[in-house]
Amino acid sequence: MSEIVLKPVEAPADTRDLSERDREILAFERQWWKYAGAKEQAVRELFDMSATRYYQVLNALIDTPEALAADPMLVKRLRRLRATRQRARSARRLSEGGA
């Protein structure tokens, strides 16, 4: 299995309020699709946390103004994806309950 290495990205001045881990998570979300293998495995190797915990941290992170200032396009995309998934879950619950 190949080792996962995140390429350093020039951090904007706005990221100084983010922790090192938060900056690494944003960098990972920006480029995780470039790596072979499952995202969950990469999360385990890079951040030493379960996928569930990673997504809890990520969801809290993308709600912060610091993350939005650091990478507005990425954060807005992740927020849109999250909202789409939430709407789909709500629609499924409504259709299951009404049947």
Side-chain angles (χ1 to χ4, degrees), residues 29-44:
E29 282 299 314
R30 218 177 287 116
Q31 54 187 309
W32 72 265
W33 51 269
K34 295 179 183 177
Y35 303 103
K39 183 177 182 180
E40 290 76 18
Q41 180 64 31
V43 164
R44 223 171 282 112

Side-chain angles (χ1 to χ4, degrees), residues 9 14 16 20 30 33 35 38-39 41-42 45 52-53 60-62 65-66 69 71 75 85 91 96 99:
V9 176
D14 304 8
R16 68 178 147 255
E20 182 66 27
R30 218 177 287 116
W33 51 269
Y35 303 103
K39 183 177 182 180
Q41 180 64 31
E45 290 174 14
T52 300
R53 180 67 186 138
L61 175 60
I62 65 174
E66 294 83 7
D71 197 333
V75 170
R85 287 190 300 270
E96 290 170 1

